[in-house]
Structure formats: C-alpha cells, structure tokens
Amino acid sequence: MCGTVGLFTGCAAAAFCPLSQLNRKAAGPAGSVAELPPYRTAFANWDRRASVRSSPRRILPEDIGDPFPVDLVPVAKHELVKGLRPEFFRRLLTQQLYRYLHFTAKLEFMVVNYVVLGISQGSIQVPIPDQMRFDALKIYCDEAYHGYFSVDLMRQVQERTGIAPAVSDEPHFLRRLAALKARHKPDQAGFIDLLFTIVSETLITASLTEISKSRDATEAVVDVLNDHALDEGRHHAYFASYLTYLWASLGRAERTFAGRLFPELIDIFLEPDLPSIGSELCGYGLGADEVARVLAEVFSSQVQGDYKRATASKLLGYLQEIEAFAEPGARDEAQSRGLLPV
Ligand SMILES: [Fe+2]
Ligand SMILES: [Fe+2]
C-alpha cells in the first residue's frame, strides 16, 4: 500500500486509476480547468480562527452532567427506551457520545487526512491552484486536531464516568467503505476514498451544525462540537470548490464511475450503525423483539430517507450543478436510495 492510499505518482497499479491520468488538463463536455471560476480561499484568517490555533483544550468537570444532547439520540425518544432504568439511560447517552467521537477520529485519521495529504503533496494529480494546494495543509492540521480532541474527550469521559466505550475498532461506515472498495479493482480504492472525502466534508457541516446548536449537554462537549463545526464550515467551502476542479479534470468513464458512486457514498456516510445500537439496547435488558421494534420505528425507511435528503441537500445541489446525475445510471442510483425524487 502506498503512502497516500494508492494515489501517488507513478503507481504501477494505476492502470485504471483516474487520478493517475489527471496530470493533464482534461477538457470534458463541462469545460476545462481554465474556465472554472477562480478559487476563493476560505482560509485567509485560518491562523487566528482555526480551533487548533485558537481554542483551549476542553476539559470535562468531575460531574460531567448530560454527556450528549438527548434530542440527538434518536432511540432515546422511543417509549421503550425512555422506560429504561436511569443508569442505563445515562449509559446510552454516554455510548452515543463515544460512538460520535470514535466516528470522528476514525474518519479524520483513516480517510480524510490521507486524501488531504495527497492533495497537498500533489500525489493526487487533479490540477488545482497553488493556493488550494497550500490550503490543504491547513485542513490536514485541522483534521489531525479534530481526531486528537475526539480521542482526548473520550478518554476524559471514561475517566470521569468509569464507562468503557463499546465501540468496534472499525466503525460501521469504515466497514461499509471497505466492502465497497473490495467490490472494485484495487487501483480504484484511492479514487473512492477521494470521492468519499468530498462527500463527508460537504455533509459533516450539516450534522455538526445541528449538533452544536444544542445546549442540552455538558459544556465541554458542546464546545468541542462548536470548535469542529466552525472549522468544517471552511472545509465545506473548500471541497465544494474542489469538486468542480476534479470534475473538470475527469474523462467520460471517470465521470460515470463517480456519478454512479456518489449516492452510495452518501448512504455509507449517513447510515446509522443499527447493529451496534441494537446490541447495546439488548445489553440494557430489552428483548430481541423489543429492540427490533425500537429500530424499525425509530429508523423507518421514511425517516432515514428524509434525514439523508435533508443532510445531503447542499451536496446534491453541487452534484446537480456539475450534471453528475446526467451520467448513465447515476440518477437511478440516487433515486433508488431515496436521494432524488422518482
Ligand atoms: Fe474535521
Ligand atoms: Fe473537515
């Protein structure tokens, strides 16, 4: 495996890899790089505004209070879960915080920063302005800090509460992403990671903004979420712009590949980890039938579809603008996943 997940220059296995062909300025039907709107950096005040440069370490008090906003734990609203013993209910909120922080750390360390490193070092050969390449270094620092403060907070919570995180080494989204890559040729893995990073960086802002608006949790947790949301606002702008540069660089086959894949990648990022939530609820004394009922009612396909469409609305707009859904099979794929109306 190469240093930047298969995306480095001169990879012998890159026969198909679209990124290996991107040291040229492809002029697809949508235009060329030269015709794109100029890149406007969102990082002009990064030195003063980035969390890693300006926010203090967030420290939990001895009594951490409510570990995670109840209104952001979907199963917590179900009558069977509301009826759990108070210590189990509190444990449920704590595990949700762990699940969220673990997801964040793994996303930043295991996917996003590999890709951002590839952009900054030029091993991902999409032609971009020099300022954009430099800004990728700032994102790299931001994401490392987000991963770090997530791990730091998990450790503090465990220390204060004595509750061990019940998280698997490989979160649900990483398992699904790995399974998706396994269905493709090995030399496509790097391109898939790049597309997934664009998805996660343009969706994460929506979920973080929602979370950070809540004040119904201990202050240090809300502060960490706010720190992250502010940084991710800049990352969102960056990757929305990066998508246009990438798209202009892709040939027909690569555009079709990407257009068909985006809906599944959105799904992978947003799908709740039902197996993990289900086994946790079993551990609190709910029977298998009761757990199945909670999951079916809380995460109905209608609810999940509405959530995915709402959270992905900005990205879906960007994909419409570049006409990604005009690629053969792409619209069907988005419709079948409930992301576009039939
Ligand atoms: Fe982040
Ligand atoms: Fe980010």
Side-chain angles (χ1 to χ4, degrees), residues 73 75 84 88-97 99 163 166 273-286 291:
V73 185
V75 292
L84 288 175
F88 285 158
F89 193 80
R90 190 172 164 69
R91 197 169 274 262
L92 178 89
L93 300 185
T94 309
Q95 291 298 347
Q96 182 73 7
L97 174 61
R99 195 177 287 115
I163 298 172
D273 187 353
L274 297 186
S276 143
I277 297 167
S279 66
E280 188 191 343
L281 290 175
C282 283
Y284 300 144
L286 293 186
V291 170

Side-chain angles (χ1 to χ4, degrees), residues 108 143 146 201 204 228 232 235:
E108 312 290 35
E143 305 296 28
H146 301 161
E201 290 295 298
I204 199 169
H228 199 169
E232 290 302 332
H235 299 186

Side-chain angles (χ1 to χ4, degrees), residues 50-73:
S51 306
V52 66
R53 306 300 294 268
S54 61
S55 295
R57 182 183 177 220
R58 306 301 184 180
I59 298 173
L60 285 170
E62 273 314 310
D63 177 4
I64 72 165
D66 289 330
F68 202 70
V70 181
D71 56 324
L72 296 174
V73 185

